[in-house]
Amino acid sequence: MKMETAKPNGPLHGLKIVDLTAVIMGPYAMQILSDFGAEIIKIEAPEGDIMRHVGKNGDRGMGPIHIALNRGKRLVALDLKTSAGREALSKIVASADAFVHAMRPQAIQRLGLDYESVRAFNEKIVYCGAYGFSQDGPYRDDPAYDDMIQGLCGIADLGSKLAGEPRFFPTVIADKVCGLTLAHSLLAALIGRERTGTGQKIEVPMFETMVSFLLVEHLGDRTFGENEQPGYARVLSQLRKPHRTADGYVCALPYNDKNWRDFFRIVDRPDLLTDPRFASQNARSQNYEVLYTLLGSLLAERPTDYWLTHLRAASIPVAPVLGLAELIDDPHLRAVEMFKTVEHPSEGRIMAVRSPIQFSATPTRIGKPAGPVGADTRAVLLDHGYTEREIDVLATEGAVRIA
């Protein structure tokens, strides 16, 4: 892997965001904006974000998810149960462009950091609350984690179509989709402020976000009336899956009319070229079970390399099935230098995944490696008017933690 140091400023250079979120949703959103060049000041409790303690080196707060999500950020540890910790956070927020939190409204109000309170000392703030549920609904006070949201939004039940019982999607899809939503919503509000001069409050609820995400295709025929069934038949078919070949598995998807005609020629089935069940997109959509059964049986007759070669030559979508380790060794990802080696001051050489987005004039960066709890507490407080002596007193009193 090519050695990499922090890159120059990205397109968000000069933007300052105070991040009072934890776990994955908020930190993932802020990691994206940090890669884009924003200054992210992450506020942690003295014990640190819980994700620090997951996986290898988690026993000392330097687990892999923390390292992945918190690079490039300034890490400040404050005890918000103390008045001095709350005062320090208010001073930091006072000069920020945006403030993001994932606390329930009553809790953030007790800290004196609800929207109205913050707007009183930072008139143009873009203020974002990342919640489990919209605050207008009856679920507003319920706890929300990825597993709960997957169950509520319908994703877990979709697993029963394949496994015979509800299953969680094997990645924290709700946290990450909602993190992406948080990032683009915050940017939209910041662009709006640039045009109007006015900040605003944003609510990003996980449940509603995932319902919107899921129903893009699965609202289905319910679009046309209450008596119609929701669901997109093609992706709900048990036969929509990587297909077994003579020596492995392959993902193959003849998609349009030409693809299917070419596929039937490749498999020497001219009789299927005129079969009315497969002659058009609409006809195929009424016969997915028959079509995918046929596709699976034909693909099983030859080895994976045969299909990769012949289907690619006919511009029919096809791909191998990669495991996680194979993914990291994928030749395309190697060629585009998706993986970087970074020298971490305490962990040695670590692997980082760069931002997939490329800007021609303002390239993204891989910022400094994520550090221990309180790694930047002293520097950030000095930037916000505290003296060295005042910081030492706060540390002695337990209001702040310094690495």
Side-chain angles (χ1 to χ4, degrees):
M1 291 178 289
K2 183 179 177 181
M3 292 298 295
E4 187 70 22
T5 57
K7 285 183 180 267
N9 303 323
L12 298 184
H13 176 64
L15 196 67
K16 177 178 172 181
I17 303 171
V18 179
D19 172 23
L20 188 60
T21 68
V23 192
I24 290 179
M25 174 186 170
Y28 179 50
M30 295 302 104
Q31 180 250 306
I32 293 168
L33 302 186
S34 175
D35 285 355
F36 287 1
E39 177 189 1
I40 308 296
I41 300 177
K42 178 179 173 67
I43 308 297
E44 297 180 83
E47 63 272 19
D49 188 327
I50 192 173
M51 297 313 295
R52 286 178 170 275
H53 308 293
V54 175
K56 185 175 181 178
N57 298 339
D59 57 335
R60 48 193 177 85
M62 295 299 293
I65 297 176
H66 161 64
I67 286 176
L69 289 182
N70 293 307
R71 68 186 184 211
K73 301 176 185 178
R74 306 182 77 186
L75 305 178
V76 176
L78 304 177
D79 186 350
L80 299 181
K81 297 183 181 70
T82 68
S83 59
R86 295 191 294 272
E87 180 182 0
L89 179 54
S90 294
K91 287 185 178 181
I92 296 168
V93 174
S95 60
D97 293 288
F99 174 57
V100 183
H101 75 87
M103 300 179 70
R104 296 177 189 178
Q106 299 88 341
I108 200 72
Q109 189 170 26
R110 287 195 297 270
L111 296 179
L113 287 169
D114 56 284
Y115 177 55
E116 295 302 330
S117 297
V118 171
R119 190 171 64 169
F121 60 78
N122 187 338
E123 185 179 16
K124 293 185 178 181
I125 193 75
V126 170
Y127 183 104
C128 182
Y131 304 121
F133 307 93
S134 171
Q135 295 304 293
D136 294 330
Y139 298 167
R140 59 182 172 270
D141 294 326
D142 289 356
Y145 292 93
D146 186 274
D147 292 5
M148 280 74 253
I149 299 300
Q150 285 201 41
L152 278 169
C153 79
I155 284 181
D157 182 65
L158 291 183
S160 66
K161 312 297 183 187
L162 305 179
E165 63 180 1
R167 291 284 179 89
F168 293 130
F169 202 76
T171 185
V172 285
I173 190 169
D175 274 336
K176 291 190 287 187
V177 167
C178 295
L180 291 169
T181 303
L182 195 165
H184 74 237
S185 301
L186 192 63
L187 289 176
L190 287 164
I191 291 171
R193 189 186 66 183
E194 289 301 304
R195 292 179 173 175
T196 66
T198 303
Q200 62 179 298
K201 179 182 178 181
I202 310 168
E203 178 184 270
V204 181
M206 293 182 72
F207 180 39
E208 289 87 340
T209 296
M210 290 307 296
V211 169
S212 172
F213 173 79
L214 192 73
L215 294 185
V216 166
E217 76 276 33
H218 284 304
L219 184 59
D221 291 348
R222 179 62 67 85
T223 301
F224 303 109
E226 292 185 0
N227 294 324
E228 303 291 345
Q229 288 299 308
Y232 178 24
R234 186 180 81 81
V235 300
L236 292 177
S237 170
Q238 288 195 344
L239 299 172
R240 179 194 177 244
K241 59 184 178 180
H243 291 285
R244 185 180 293 278
T245 65
D247 62 354
Y249 289 88
V250 69
C251 302
L253 183 64
Y255 202 73
N256 56 34
D257 293 346
K258 182 179 185 302
N259 283 167
W260 281 106
R261 289 195 298 269
D262 289 342
F263 179 75
F264 293 146
R265 291 189 183 100
I266 290 170
V267 297
D268 298 321
R269 291 294 304 271
D271 56 303
L272 298 175
L273 291 169
T274 56
D275 191 315
R277 296 173 298 174
F278 313 135
S280 69
Q281 181 66 39
N282 184 260
R284 290 190 294 273
S285 74
Q286 307 302 316
N287 292 280
Y288 282 132
E289 296 297 307
V290 175
L291 184 65
Y292 283 155
T293 299
L294 178 64
L295 178 64
S297 65
L298 292 169
L299 291 172
E301 295 175 357
R302 294 180 172 89
T304 299
D305 282 346
Y306 177 90
W307 296 118
L308 294 176
T309 299
H310 286 77
L311 298 187
R312 282 171 176 164
S315 296
I316 296 172
V318 63
V321 177
L322 299 181
L324 293 175
E326 294 171 303
L327 180 67
I328 294 170
D329 289 326
D330 180 76
H332 175 87
L333 296 178
R334 292 285 181 175
V336 301
E337 298 184 314
M338 195 69 185
F339 307 109
K340 305 291 186 179
T341 296
V342 176
E343 195 69 36
H344 193 287
S346 65
E347 310 307 308
R349 290 189 173 190
I350 61 171
M351 176 183 284
V353 183
R354 69 163 175 83
S355 170
I357 313 304
Q358 301 199 51
F359 298 87
S360 63
T362 54
T364 59
R365 65 180 187 177
I366 292 180
K368 69 173 184 174
V373 179
D376 303 291
T377 300
R378 185 178 294 277
V380 170
L381 292 183
L382 286 171
D383 288 347
H384 291 84
Y386 285 85
T387 67
E388 292 275 8
R389 178 175 174 77
E390 288 171 332
I391 295 168
D392 289 338
V393 170
L394 292 176
T396 300
E397 293 174 346
V400 305
R401 179 173 171 178
I402 299 172

